[in-house]
Amino acid sequence: MPKHKAVREELIKVLEVLLDDDDLHDWYRSLGELPEERRSSEFATVAARMKRAGEHPELVQATALLALPEVERAFRLTFEEASADR
């Protein structure tokens, strides 16, 4: 499978986990209250921890992508829409 498809699938998995787990759902929602720079920093930190822990490379890359403001904004819109249906 091409790497970009694998990363896209991991982003979808991240979204599903955030929607299914109440604690993670609340955590991600609380990040929305932080300034964009801080959210970016949080995702970069989480991705670095995941990489050190030997997590699946595509999952690490998907998480690192959320440190990019334009990606995180699009992800958040999808999250909010899906949360409304929750």
Side-chain angles (χ1 to χ4, degrees):
M1 173 185 314
K3 188 166 182 114
H4 71 279
K5 286 186 179 181
V7 172
R8 181 179 62 209
E9 287 181 11
E10 291 300 329
L11 277 169
I12 292 168
K13 287 179 188 175
V14 169
L15 178 62
E16 290 171 346
V17 168
L18 291 174
L19 292 170
D20 291 341
D21 184 293
D22 289 339
D23 290 335
L24 290 174
H25 184 273
D26 293 344
W27 169 78
Y28 183 68
R29 184 154 281 181
S30 74
L31 287 180
E33 298 172 13
L34 299 176
E36 196 170 76
E37 288 179 1
R38 180 74 190 278
R39 284 196 310 269
S40 293
S41 176
E42 289 291 324
F43 282 113
T45 299
V46 169
R49 283 187 199 142
M50 291 169 68
K51 185 175 182 176
R52 282 193 305 272
E55 294 284 342
H56 195 274
E58 284 81 5
L59 179 58
V60 173
Q61 188 174 3
T63 304
L65 282 173
L66 292 172
L68 300 171
E70 61 277 7
V71 173
E72 200 274 331
R73 280 192 299 269
F75 184 87
R76 181 166 297 280
L77 285 173
T78 303
F79 170 82
E80 293 298 339
E81 289 174 7
S83 291
D85 296 335
R86 191 171 177 234

